[in-house]
Amino acid sequence: MLHPRKLDFVRALRRAPFTGFFVFAYSFTFIAILLFLPGGLVSAPGRYGFSIETLADHQYWRMFTALIVPRDPLRLVEQIAFSVVMVGVFEWSNGPVRAMALFILSDVTAKVLLVQLLLGPLGPTLSFGNPDILTTFDLGMSAGGMALLAATVHRYSSGWRIWAYLGSMGFLVAKILIWPQPLSDLMHLITFNLGFVLAPLFRSNTVAARS
């Protein structure tokens, strides 16, 4: 007979398998990199991360490997926490198919859009004066997670929704001013707004009926 806590864990995993995938994938790749990758975590970004330059070079597989490769132990914990909070809350209410679809759509769209913007005439302006933005490697799932966070914010009643949106955007802009990381910051701004705009298309009928 299963212990009640084990039973609760199984139920949670069945209800939020996409979140469970991220938690497992991060843990697995972290251990695998430490044990088998030459250079360990130091070489992981260059091997599996994505950059504007590598995407422009049609290395599209990096868009997906970058999602599950941790940069260091602190980022491992951080990304697992983001998975539970950003992905898990939305998936719990709307289901794994909607969560996965919105996550992938927003994440891939933002990356492709950034390639076009940063390699175009607006590149110098959008780079925040950072000449290395085209070759900077990014890792993690926080960009796609931002879209699901925005979709969760969109569930609020109209009165609270606008304040939650403005507060979230204010936090993202403040983060840029205090601790700029141009590539990931731009990704977060794009995916958060994508998630907010697309939210009505990815809400379950049950959630929509409650709103």
Side-chain angles (χ1 to χ4, degrees):
M1 183 176 179
L2 285 175
H3 190 278
R5 289 185 178 178
K6 291 183 179 180
L7 194 60
D8 288 342
F9 174 77
V10 172
R11 287 174 179 170
L13 196 58
R14 286 177 178 174
R15 189 165 177 177
F18 190 48
T19 304
F21 162 76
F22 272 117
V23 173
F24 171 80
Y26 268 114
S27 304
F28 176 82
T29 54
F30 178 75
I31 295 171
I33 287 171
L34 288 180
L35 293 178
F36 303 112
L37 182 67
L41 293 172
V42 175
S43 64
R47 287 174 178 263
Y48 303 111
F50 89 92
S51 68
I52 299 302
E53 197 173 69
T54 55
L55 293 189
D57 194 36
H58 309 296
Q59 298 179 38
Y60 300 123
W61 54 271
R62 288 177 176 270
M63 289 193 292
F64 303 101
T65 56
L67 295 175
I68 58 172
V69 175
R71 189 182 296 273
D72 53 52
L74 179 60
R75 289 293 181 89
L76 171 67
V77 176
E78 177 187 275
Q79 293 296 311
I80 288 177
F82 281 170
S83 300
V84 174
V85 175
M86 293 180 172
V87 180
V89 172
F90 181 86
E91 183 179 18
W92 193 266
S93 301
N94 299 276
V97 174
R98 290 182 178 88
M100 182 170 63
L102 179 56
F103 181 98
I104 294 176
L105 176 63
S106 59
D107 188 84
V108 171
T109 300
K111 287 171 180 173
V112 172
L113 182 60
L114 267 183
V115 171
Q116 302 304 316
L117 290 174
L118 290 176
L119 293 180
L122 293 176
T125 302
L126 294 174
S127 66
F128 301 97
N130 185 341
D132 300 322
I133 192 170
L134 300 182
T135 56
T136 298
F137 286 100
D138 191 64
L139 294 170
M141 48 66 63
S142 58
M146 279 291 176
L148 301 190
L149 179 63
T152 300
V153 166
H154 196 279
R155 289 179 51 189
Y156 296 162
S157 60
S158 57
W160 286 102
R161 183 184 304 158
I162 185 64
W163 290 111
Y165 171 80
L166 292 175
S168 300
M169 286 296 294
F171 175 81
L172 293 176
V173 172
K175 191 269 176 190
I176 293 174
L177 296 176
I178 296 171
W179 185 29
Q181 294 174 299
L183 186 58
S184 60
D185 290 337
L186 287 171
M187 287 277 293
H188 292 163
L189 286 172
I190 293 172
T191 54
F192 186 84
N193 284 281
L194 276 175
F196 194 82
V197 171
L198 296 174
L201 302 177
F202 290 89
R203 293 165 70 186
S204 70
N205 294 331
T206 303
V207 171
R210 294 175 183 169
S211 301

